């Protein structure tokens, strides 16, 4: 978002009864929906992930699971898995970013500006390819996958980590 940081609201607890039972959960749901409304054009996967998390908080895991099943039918299993596993994607991408930031052979490291890599990832303008470890502009992901990724077999989709 504007401050260079990802604004995806974090949730701290899930309801067991299905309906949001506290003011805190209601506020989290509101924050997640607002996040989705403001970021869906530039980062639709994160917007969908936020809506799925809001659905889980408000209606429980069964309802959210049914939504994921529908996404699998409509958009394919790869995208459904990608949306549903946001935490796993973020952890994997942050590990790759940490490696890139420690790489002393880069021009950014020589200029002591490697923090730019983390900022580009966090603000969502760049993604990390899980296959080759490259960090690329989010808008160029498909071209990277189709033409430049050294390790892509050109058959797999959605092998990126979003910020």
């Amino acid at each position: 978002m504007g401050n260079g940081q990802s604004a995806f609201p974090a949730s701290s607890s899930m309801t067991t009864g299905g309906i949001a039972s506290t003011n805190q959960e209601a506020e989290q749901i509101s924050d997640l929906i607002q996040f989705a409304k403001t970021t869906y054009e530039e980062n639709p996967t994160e917007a969908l992930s936020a809506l799925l998390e809001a659905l889980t908080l408000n209606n429980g895991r069964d309802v959210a699971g049914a939504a994921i099943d529908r996404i699998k039918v409509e958009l394919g299993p790869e995208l459904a898995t990608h949306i549903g596993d946001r935490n796993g994607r973020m952890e994997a991408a942050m590990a790759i970013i940490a490696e890139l930031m420690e790489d002393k052979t880069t021009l950014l490291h020589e200029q002591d500006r490697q923090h730019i890599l983390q900022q580009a990832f966090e603000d969502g303008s760049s993604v990390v390819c899980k296959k080759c470890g490259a960090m690329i502009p989010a808008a160029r992901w498909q071209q990277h996958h189709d033409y430049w990724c050294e390790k892509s077999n050109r058959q797999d989709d959605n092998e990126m980590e979003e910020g």
Side-chain angles (χ1 to χ4, degrees), residues 55-117:
L55 186 64
T56 302
L57 283 169
N58 194 55
N59 298 96
R61 292 179 189 259
D62 291 341
V63 172
I68 283 289
D69 290 343
R70 180 65 187 246
I71 290 171
K72 285 178 187 174
V73 169
E74 297 294 326
L75 302 175
E78 296 87 10
L79 185 58
T81 300
H82 185 73
I83 292 168
D85 187 27
R86 179 182 188 275
N87 288 338
R89 291 190 328 268
M90 292 299 290
E91 288 174 11
M94 288 308 291
I96 293 171
I97 295 298
E99 286 179 31
L100 289 172
M101 289 178 64
E102 294 298 319
D103 185 352
K104 293 181 171 121
T105 65
T106 67
L107 182 61
L108 289 174
H109 194 280
E110 288 176 14
Q111 296 176 352
D112 198 29
R113 298 178 66 201
Q114 61 271 38
H115 66 278
I116 291 172
L117 294 171

Side-chain angles (χ1 to χ4, degrees), residues 5-82:
Q5 301 254 337
S6 176
F8 189 86
S11 69
S12 60
S13 64
M14 298 290 188
T15 61
T16 56
I19 308 265
S21 60
T22 67
N23 287 339
Q24 182 181 10
E25 287 172 339
E27 188 175 315
Q28 285 177 322
I29 292 167
S30 178
D31 289 348
L32 288 162
I33 291 170
Q34 184 60 37
F35 173 81
K37 284 180 180 179
T38 59
T39 61
Y40 73 92
E41 288 184 14
E42 64 269 0
N43 204 339
T45 305
E46 288 302 303
L48 279 172
S49 292
L51 290 174
L52 183 65
E53 190 168 339
L55 186 64
T56 302
L57 283 169
N58 194 55
N59 298 96
R61 292 179 189 259
D62 291 341
V63 172
I68 283 289
D69 290 343
R70 180 65 187 246
I71 290 171
K72 285 178 187 174
V73 169
E74 297 294 326
L75 302 175
E78 296 87 10
L79 185 58
T81 300
H82 185 73

Side-chain angles (χ1 to χ4, degrees), residues 129 131-132 136 140-160:
C129 176
K131 292 186 182 236
C132 70
I136 51 175
R140 302 288 295 165
W141 160 248
Q142 195 63 51
Q143 291 83 358
H144 169 80
H145 176 268
D146 292 345
Y147 304 108
W148 297 302
C149 180
E150 298 169 0
K151 299 195 177 180
S152 177
N153 61 12
R154 313 295 188 255
Q155 300 296 319
D156 297 333
D157 289 337
N158 298 316
E159 291 293 330
M160 68 177 181

